[in-house]
Amino acid sequence: MNQKIVILTGAGISAESGIPTFRDSGGLWENEPVNIVATPEGFEAEPKRVITFYDNLRKSVQKCEPNAAHRAIAKLEEKFGDDFLLITQNVDDLHQRAGSKRVIPMHGELLKVRCFNDHVIPCKENQPEKCPQCGAKMRPHIVWFGEVPLEMERIQEALMQCNLFAYIGTSGVVYPAAGFRQIAKRAGARVVCLNLERVANGDEFIQGKAGDIVPKWVDSLNG
Ligand code: OAD
């Protein structure tokens, strides 16, 4: 049977590119109240603050570059083609800039905004006030707490069919992504964690910085 690979990434894979994670010391949630900048209720209560937070993040992310881990994952996709799927919780575009194409940004994309009629438009600078297509109010194209992540059906299907599932640079505390390892395991897949810290017991664990360990791990799969 063909090797079918699904990879899930989190903020840890972009840390060495200079983008802070969420929950580590100095992380994004240390300086900003999550209930304001990452919930629909927060946006309703303090829209300007939320828009400014994402406008600033959008600008700073564009100054960062993909690192060796992003590039290694793109290389893996080249080899496995349609037997490969990357799911990322990250809203930066570093995987895409490294060359990944079969990628599902399940928590949305910082470089897009959408209106309340669901028009999604690219955005590199400040969020426009009104939708250029219909004039409706705009919001960041980010999945906030309490909202349903994107493309869940496609993700579920890929997890049920994979025989290798790896999760990289994620603390594994935010569902539904935190449950993907169990879905893959129940489907019979080998499950590997690549991270600075062990996230769950019972999975193969490769400890270290993503930029060091991911390229080596990818080479071991190729070879
Ligand atoms: P977290 O900040 O919760 O976890 C980052 C993980 O990466 C931790 O386990 C770190 O130990 C690890 N890490 C840090 N630096 C690393 C490095 N150089 N190499 C490897 N691992 C490293 O980030 P996520 O798990 O991605 O949602 O958080 C999940 C979701 O929570 C995010 O997508 C975000 C947030 O709410 C939204 O914004 C919608």
Side-chain angles (χ1 to χ4, degrees), residues 10-12 15-16 21-24 29 89-90 107 142-143 145 169-172 174 195-197 208-210:
E16 288 153 80
T21 61
F22 294 95
R23 294 173 182 79
D24 295 307
W29 293 163
Q89 299 168 90
N90 297 344
H107 287 168
I142 303 287
V143 176
F145 287 103
T170 175
S171 59
V174 176
N195 208 31
L196 275 186
E197 55 178 6
K209 286 187 171 184

Side-chain angles (χ1 to χ4, degrees), residues 97-110:
R97 277 200 262 148
S100 287
K101 294 198 172 55
R102 292 166 181 88
V103 49
I104 299 181
M106 64 176 288
H107 287 168
E109 292 174 81
L110 199 50

Side-chain angles (χ1 to χ4, degrees), residues 34-161:
V34 185
N35 60 327
I36 299 295
V37 298
T39 65
E41 296 77 18
F43 182 58
E44 219 172 288
E46 295 194 46
K48 280 208 176 109
R49 181 172 184 179
V50 175
I51 290 168
T52 303
F53 172 73
Y54 289 100
D55 282 350
N56 290 339
L57 200 55
R58 185 176 301 122
K59 287 171 206 160
S60 67
V61 155
Q62 289 176 84
K63 292 184 194 132
C64 299
E65 296 295 331
N67 64 52
H70 298 103
R71 289 193 294 272
I73 289 175
K75 205 170 98 184
L76 194 59
E77 177 182 340
E78 267 176 33
K79 183 171 160 76
F80 285 89
D82 288 337
D83 290 325
F84 175 93
L85 180 68
L86 171 62
I87 305 163
T88 187
Q89 299 168 90
N90 297 344
V91 296
D92 65 52
D93 64 339
L94 296 186
H95 281 302
Q96 292 89 335
R97 277 200 262 148
S100 287
K101 294 198 172 55
R102 292 166 181 88
V103 49
I104 299 181
M106 64 176 288
H107 287 168
E109 292 174 81
L110 199 50
L111 275 87
K112 291 181 182 167
V113 291
R114 76 167 184 269
C115 77
F116 280 69
N117 290 324
D118 276 343
H119 294 123
V120 177
I121 59 163
C123 177
K124 288 193 159 181
E125 308 257 325
N126 290 344
Q127 177 182 302
E129 259 179 44
K130 287 186 176 164
C131 176
Q133 289 183 34
C134 70
K137 202 171 131 183
M138 310 269 344
R139 55 164 283 176
H141 186 47
I142 303 287
V143 176
W144 288 321
F145 287 103
E147 298 182 320
V148 181
L150 308 175
E151 302 208 52
M152 282 306 293
E153 262 178 44
R154 228 176 110 204
I155 291 174
Q156 178 84 16
E157 199 178 311
L159 290 170
M160 300 293 291
Q161 287 173 4

